[in-house]
Amino acid sequence: MAYQHAEIRHGEKAGEDDHGTFGSRWIGPLVFFLSIALIAFIAGSVVMLAKLPPSKLLTNAYDAAGALYAKATEYSDPYKTDLWYDALTDDKGVTTLLPDEVEEGYTLYSSSHKPSAFLVDMKGNVVHRWHIDPEKIWTGSEATAGSLGPFVYMRRTYMYPNGDLLAVYEGSGDTPWGLGLVKLDKDSNVVWSYLDERAHHDVGIGADGTIYALTHEMRHEPVEGQGGLEPPLIEDFLVILSPEGKVEKRISLLKAIANSRFKWLLSGLNRRTAQDPLHTNSVREVGKEAAAHMSMAREGDLMLSIRNLKLVAVLDPETEKFVWGTLGPWVGQHSVEPLASGNVLLFDNNGNYNGPAGSRVMEFDPETMEIVWQYEGTKDDPLKSVLRASVQRLGNGNTLITESQGGRLIEVTPEGKVVWQYVNPVRGGEGDKKLPIVVWGRRYTPSGLDFALAPVSQSSAGVYR
């Protein structure tokens, strides 16, 4: 027994010695590994905080990985993009029409569900449609070949009296975004196209037919005098084209800002917005009537909305210099429009902090910065569009509002009364509970059209399947 007890005790001791040997064998490498990881973490932190040369590489790698993940997980399904939202109601088509109080005419709009533009009458009947498969337009184009993506739509359209249509095409999930500018005839045949650059967001038409397009490209060189802007970044341009689509001038809006009194705004950008420092989303020519009431702009100047700087500014296209600009209570603004009265109308997407849903339409006096009119909806029917939207002051004094996120167009009186409402009739997703955004809307009077209109089958709308 003594021998056996001794053997057991010896075995226990032996086991403890083996365990101790095993532990001591791995403690060293484990401590070494953890030390290396700690050193790497501290070194990486120093590199990033001090912005040493590898920091940009690490940042770009991180952003690229995030972009690839987002594209793989979010852009394979249209209903996961910001082109579709939950439908708030079952309403479709025209739900409100007060004939004695509306501006009679036809409403042109585009929707994110198809690369089409629709013209509807006051009762919501589609009387004309423009559509061409994007692949037919971009065949052979080097600028955007292979990058059309599955969710192409018309971001901004302009209809000529004869039925010709200017259209800015965009997609979802690209950086930089925007695909090009195309002119179609009334039968959707391509008249001309400008695909050399990524046209995006908006296109303005001058009184003489001059076309003002917004484009952008990746910039890999530093911006002079702007050390806080680290390339690569998106550089915005204004391209001036003839009515036939020929380039007459190309202006770097980033350089124009960097050389203006507004250059200090660039230093206030965070890392994300510094990669897209301007995000210009609206361009309008200052007309003769508006210029007559403005001290800071002349006829033919261009009013721009520069979203990421919260800046509304006026550019002289001849000198290529910004001659005026202002910040305001808006956030993420779109569709800045100089009015004949000299006031400025815009859609304030996210600056209405005390309103029912955060968005509003605002008219302000640029001389005094007084808000002279606004519409925010009501508690039961608020105005909300975090991204995109447009506004138009109609001839009768009413305002046409494109609430993109809500998928609708509404016409309101100066008193804020809704006299016309059109809700996108298209649905999709599980249970058809998703609604595509209405990207852009514009009202045209019957006297401004000189081409034949005919009812179009509603079935041409369709959805992604």
Side-chain angles (χ1 to χ4, degrees):
M1 289 293 294
Y3 177 78
Q4 290 178 350
H5 182 67
E7 283 291 301
I8 293 171
R9 290 180 62 191
H10 178 74
E12 290 173 349
K13 182 64 177 177
E16 290 172 0
D17 287 345
D18 289 345
H19 184 268
T21 302
F22 176 83
S24 61
R25 184 187 307 141
W26 286 100
I27 286 176
L30 181 61
V31 171
F32 177 77
F33 174 79
L34 292 175
S35 299
I36 292 297
L38 179 62
I39 292 172
F41 175 77
I42 295 173
S45 299
V46 171
V47 165
M48 297 303 292
L49 291 174
K51 294 186 176 181
L52 297 176
S55 67
K56 193 62 179 176
L57 180 62
L58 294 174
T59 300
N60 289 344
Y62 176 81
D63 290 342
L68 288 173
Y69 177 78
K71 193 159 189 174
T73 58
E74 298 177 19
Y75 295 106
S76 59
D77 182 349
Y79 306 117
K80 292 182 178 180
T81 70
D82 59 19
L83 303 181
W84 291 76
Y85 285 88
D86 293 333
L88 300 179
T89 70
D90 295 327
D91 293 341
K92 295 181 179 181
V94 172
T95 62
T96 301
L97 174 59
L98 303 180
D100 296 334
E101 300 184 62
V102 298
E103 172 90 325
E104 283 288 342
Y106 299 95
T107 304
L108 176 71
Y109 78 93
S110 52
S111 166
S112 64
H113 76 286
K114 267 182 178 274
S116 302
F118 303 91
L119 190 66
V120 298
D121 62 20
M122 298 304 294
K123 295 182 179 180
N125 300 307
V126 179
V127 296
H128 199 80
R129 178 193 182 215
W130 294 260
H131 177 85
I132 182 174
D133 291 336
E135 289 77 9
K136 295 181 180 179
I137 301 174
W138 271 269
T139 299
S141 171
E142 296 181 1
T144 51
S147 64
L148 286 179
F151 316 134
V152 178
Y153 60 95
M154 293 183 182
R155 173 62 185 262
R156 165 75 159 95
T157 57
Y158 174 85
M159 182 175 62
Y160 291 89
N162 67 349
D164 287 355
L165 188 81
L166 268 183
V168 175
Y169 284 81
E170 288 187 357
S172 181
D174 289 329
T175 300
W177 60 95
L179 296 173
L181 177 66
V182 180
K183 186 175 185 180
L184 306 175
D185 66 17
K186 67 179 181 62
D187 299 315
S188 300
N189 299 305
V190 176
V191 178
W192 56 259
S193 59
Y194 183 66
L195 310 179
D196 296 339
E197 298 185 77
R198 290 185 176 268
H200 61 92
H201 275 100
D202 197 16
V203 60
I205 311 298
D208 62 355
T210 298
I211 298 168
Y212 304 100
L214 300 175
T215 70
H216 56 196
E217 64 182 29
M218 295 303 298
R219 181 186 178 94
H220 298 278
E221 300 80 28
V223 180
E224 185 177 354
Q226 294 294 327
L229 294 179
E230 298 183 10
L233 53 82
I234 296 175
E235 182 172 7
D236 283 9
F237 293 87
L238 172 75
V239 177
I240 303 177
L241 302 101
S242 71
E244 294 74 36
K246 304 300 181 183
V247 176
E248 297 181 344
K249 181 179 281 192
R250 184 173 186 260
I251 302 170
S252 169
L253 296 176
L254 181 57
K255 290 181 181 178
I257 286 288
N259 293 324
S260 75
R261 72 189 80 171
F262 310 110
K263 60 184 179 182
W264 62 271
L265 294 173
L266 296 171
S267 63
L269 298 171
N270 60 39
R271 186 177 73 85
R272 286 291 184 185
T273 52
Q275 295 175 331
D276 181 16
L278 301 190
H279 199 100
T280 312
N281 60 23
S282 177
V283 55
R284 294 287 182 277
E285 185 179 71
V286 177
K288 183 177 181 179
E289 292 181 328
H293 295 90
M294 292 180 171
S295 63
M296 76 291 182
R298 301 181 305 174
E299 181 182 1
D301 285 348
L302 302 174
M303 185 168 287
L304 301 166
S305 166
I306 302 175
R307 192 197 74 175
N308 282 357
L309 298 184
K310 296 178 61 180
L311 180 66
V312 173
V314 173
L315 178 79
D316 183 339
E318 295 182 3
T319 64
E320 303 182 14
K321 296 182 181 299
F322 283 99
V323 297
W324 178 85
T326 186
L327 305 182
W330 46 79
V331 177
Q333 76 282 355
H334 284 77
S335 192
V336 175
E337 182 173 316
L339 301 177
S341 64
N343 291 339
V344 177
L345 187 69
L346 60 80
F347 192 99
D348 177 14
N349 293 70
N350 302 297
N352 190 20
Y353 299 115
N354 297 318
S359 299
R360 61 182 165 180
V361 175
M362 176 195 305
E363 178 184 347
F364 71 95
D365 183 338
E367 307 285 350
T368 65
M369 293 305 297
E370 176 190 2
I371 299 176
V372 299
W373 182 79
Q374 72 173 23
Y375 176 79
E376 60 185 13
T378 64
K379 182 180 180 180
D380 295 330
D381 186 22
L383 200 63
K384 182 177 181 179
S385 189
V386 176
L387 301 171
R388 308 177 184 89
S390 68
V391 291
Q392 177 193 8
R393 180 55 49 81
L394 303 176
N396 65 352
N398 291 350
T399 302
L400 182 69
I401 303 169
T402 304
E403 185 192 28
S404 295
Q405 184 171 328
R408 63 172 180 163
L409 301 111
I410 57 175
E411 180 182 342
V412 301
T413 65
E415 295 75 31
K417 181 180 179 181
V418 176
V419 295
W420 186 78
Q421 176 175 265
Y422 178 86
V423 181
N424 198 334
V426 179
R427 296 293 184 273
E430 185 178 354
D432 282 343
K433 297 298 184 182
K434 291 286 187 178
L435 173 147
I437 62 172
V438 174
V439 191
W440 165 265
R442 199 77 173 171
R443 179 71 53 77
Y444 291 83
T445 60
S447 61
L449 304 180
D450 59 10
F451 70 102
L453 301 175
V456 177
S457 171
Q458 297 286 354
S459 64
S460 63
V463 295
Y464 292 116
R465 295 298 185 192

